[in-house]
Amino acid sequence: LSNPGLEQSGGKSPFSRLAQSGEEPGDLAEDKASVTLSLPAATNVDIASDARTFRSRGTAQSARSKARANHLRSASRLSNSSFTSGLHHLASEAIEGFEPIWAVYKQLVTNHRFLLLGCLFLIALGVVCGIWIEGWDFLTSLYVIVQISTTIGYGDCTVERPGMQLFMTFYVLATLFVVANFLNIMLKVLIERQQEYMLHRLVDLEVVVHSRIFTQSDLRRRFRGLNEMVAAGCLFLFSILIGTIFFKFAEDCTCSYGVSKSDFDLSECDDSSYETCMATGGIAKTWISSFYMSVITVTTVGFGDLTPKSRLGRACAIPWMLLGVVATAFFLQSVSNYIGGVHKEKEAESHLRRTAESLDTRQASIESLEEINQGLFNAFDVAKAGRLTKAEYTRYVLVQRGYLPIEVLKQIDDQFDRIDVAGRGSISLDMIQEA
């Protein structure tokens, strides 16, 4: 403390002042140089070590600060239960959740850029041909292309001209190979992410509810593929629910538009209001018909008796059909995996049970030896002392339990005697090879 360098700084090194003030160690070299002029050489080493320690300590403090901030954010979320804060929290999570998705999509586009170009070209080609040959507008043409890509095929917009029919013959094949493949790759990421999010939520809930489950690994071992099937099923039902609610209110009564309006003989229809639409022969959808159409659509059955008719309905049906079909495929795959996993698990348990029972039976029969064949015992008692050695007992059990016929043992003994010409009672590897 009598050192003038420390007296000028109040008895504290620059690193101590920085540590207490919480400042970033930006000018450590200058502080170290100023201290070096006033301190002995032995203390300079301590100062350098102090600087390295402070750097690592600053990194650790930064990590702890981030963790503390995250903890405070979580605590504030739990403490604030107002509706506005809840909506803000959900919006923040949604924004944070989409950030890695864009990064994944960017990487996918980079890896499949030629597939993307082919997809865009085929979609544009189909839309242009639909407009030019069939007289559809842009929305109707894109709506038909999505039907082809998802294999829904309502049939509400049919191809009538021979040129378009010939074009569609080859276009459908190319679309299934290119467009459907690319859309499957891109939409699979979104569906898998939502499924994983729901799976984590479900796992957290089950860990809390089940008293015998303490970790997520315990839960996975117990429930296996059940949670994946439930998460995929929720997405599947959600797609049906969205379609049912939307088309019930968006197309409670519609007169359609363009070519579809004339195809359905709705030229005199007026959908300016619900009453006038119903009075002029508009097409109405009830809760049952909307639910029916949603199920038929996402399962790609596509009867075509009920389809989106209005501009708004078809515009929203384009992304809905894509996501709904992929969600249905994921759900069916998870159900198949779960059933197959349960079947394999039962087979494995049955095999283990049979193996355990067989081993228990053999072990019990060997240990109990309820049926002792005195004649066989005497045959293996070479010394006639009424006792068997370990080797004699092994031979006795092999024959008595039917694992090995006694004739085979006699053949082995005869072969041993022929090799052991000198009668030493033991043979070497060379003797076996020569024989």
Side-chain angles (χ1 to χ4, degrees):
L1 293 178
S2 62
N3 189 289
L6 291 179
E7 290 176 355
Q8 295 176 2
S9 61
K12 298 180 181 179
S13 68
F15 309 107
S16 301
R17 295 198 311 272
L18 286 173
Q20 291 184 356
S21 63
E23 298 176 1
E24 295 294 333
D27 299 328
L28 288 178
E30 297 180 1
D31 291 333
K32 180 174 178 293
S34 63
V35 176
T36 304
L37 295 176
S38 57
L39 294 180
T43 313
N44 294 338
V45 179
D46 298 334
I47 293 298
S49 176
D50 193 9
R52 289 191 297 268
T53 304
F54 183 77
R55 291 191 186 97
S56 61
R57 188 177 301 169
T59 304
Q61 288 179 352
S62 177
R64 286 195 297 269
S65 299
K66 292 181 180 179
R68 191 181 301 110
N70 292 333
H71 176 72
L72 292 176
R73 283 196 295 267
S74 301
S76 63
R77 290 171 184 171
L78 293 175
S79 61
N80 192 350
S81 58
S82 63
F83 181 72
T84 305
S85 299
L87 290 179
H88 182 269
H89 169 54
L90 292 177
S92 299
E93 283 192 346
I95 295 174
E96 293 175 359
F98 274 109
E99 289 179 356
I101 289 184
W102 296 122
V104 173
Y105 277 152
K106 182 179 180 181
Q107 186 64 33
L108 286 176
V109 170
T110 303
N111 296 337
H112 302 87
R113 53 183 178 275
F114 295 109
L115 187 61
L116 172 62
L117 293 176
C119 176
L120 295 177
F121 172 75
L122 286 176
I123 292 177
L125 180 63
V127 171
V128 170
C129 290
I131 297 174
W132 179 42
I133 301 177
E134 287 293 330
W136 299 329
D137 60 1
F138 173 80
L139 179 60
T140 303
S141 297
L142 185 60
Y143 168 72
V144 173
I145 299 304
V146 173
Q147 287 190 49
I148 296 173
S149 303
T150 56
T151 68
I152 293 176
Y154 283 134
D156 52 346
C157 299
T158 58
V159 178
E160 299 178 354
R161 291 174 173 78
M164 191 65 175
Q165 293 175 352
L166 180 62
F167 168 77
M168 278 294 179
T169 303
F170 300 98
Y171 181 78
V172 168
L173 298 176
T175 302
L176 293 178
F177 281 114
V178 179
V179 179
N181 187 22
F182 180 78
L183 293 177
N184 179 65
I185 293 174
M186 301 299 289
L187 296 176
K188 184 179 179 181
V189 175
L190 180 60
I191 297 297
E192 281 183 343
R193 181 172 180 82
Q194 298 303 320
Q195 182 184 12
E196 188 69 19
Y197 174 79
M198 297 183 65
L199 184 60
H200 285 318
R201 294 292 187 181
L202 185 61
V203 167
D204 294 339
L205 178 61
E206 289 171 341
V207 169
V208 174
V209 172
H210 292 276
S211 59
R212 295 183 178 180
I213 298 177
F214 300 99
T215 61
Q216 293 186 1
S217 59
D218 296 337
L219 185 67
R220 292 188 181 95
R221 285 194 299 268
R222 181 172 178 178
F223 290 96
R224 295 181 183 271
L226 178 61
N227 286 339
E228 294 183 0
M229 184 182 68
V230 172
C234 291
L235 294 176
F236 169 69
L237 294 177
F238 181 73
S239 64
I240 295 177
L241 179 64
I242 288 296
T244 302
I245 296 175
F246 173 78
F247 286 104
K248 172 61 180 70
F249 291 101
E251 293 191 353
D252 54 348
C253 185
T254 181
C255 298
S256 193
Y257 68 96
V259 178
S260 300
K261 187 170 186 178
S262 59
D263 292 340
F264 293 106
D265 195 16
L266 297 173
S267 56
E268 302 298 329
C269 180
D270 180 14
D271 55 1
S272 57
S273 65
Y274 178 79
E275 290 75 13
T276 58
C277 180
M278 294 296 296
T280 55
I283 301 175
K285 283 187 175 69
T286 63
W287 283 109
I288 296 178
S289 60
S290 299
F291 175 71
Y292 164 78
M293 190 194 75
S294 299
V295 174
I296 295 301
T297 299
V298 299
T299 55
T300 68
V301 175
F303 285 137
D305 49 349
L306 291 174
T307 61
K309 297 293 193 300
S310 63
R311 294 182 183 274
L312 177 62
R314 288 180 176 178
C316 295
I318 291 173
W320 173 68
M321 287 190 294
L322 294 172
L323 295 174
V325 169
V326 176
T328 303
F330 265 82
F331 174 62
L332 296 178
Q333 182 181 1
S334 62
V335 171
S336 177
N337 293 338
Y338 175 72
I339 296 175
V342 171
H343 181 66
K344 290 181 179 179
E345 184 177 355
K346 290 183 178 179
E347 286 185 348
E349 291 178 355
S350 178
H351 176 70
L352 291 175
R353 191 182 301 108
R354 290 195 302 267
T355 303
E357 292 175 354
S358 177
L359 291 175
D360 292 341
T361 303
R362 293 180 183 179
Q363 185 68 21
S365 62
I366 292 174
E367 292 178 353
S368 62
L369 296 178
E370 296 176 353
E371 300 176 357
I372 300 178
N373 190 324
Q374 187 65 40
L376 187 63
F377 183 90
N378 296 333
F380 287 105
D381 184 12
V382 179
K384 305 303 178 184
R387 301 175 67 85
L388 297 178
T389 64
K390 185 176 182 179
E392 292 171 347
Y393 176 73
T394 302
R395 293 159 64 89
Y396 167 76
V397 172
L398 290 174
V399 175
Q400 195 248 357
R401 295 304 166 194
Y403 296 125
L404 192 66
I406 192 171
E407 292 79 8
V408 176
L409 288 178
K410 290 181 178 180
Q411 293 176 3
I412 295 175
D413 292 339
D414 294 341
Q415 186 177 8
F416 182 88
D417 294 337
R418 288 194 301 270
I419 297 175
D420 186 18
V421 180
R424 298 176 180 177
S426 62
I427 57 177
S428 64
L429 178 61
D430 294 337
M431 297 170 65
I432 296 176
Q433 292 176 346
E434 290 177 2

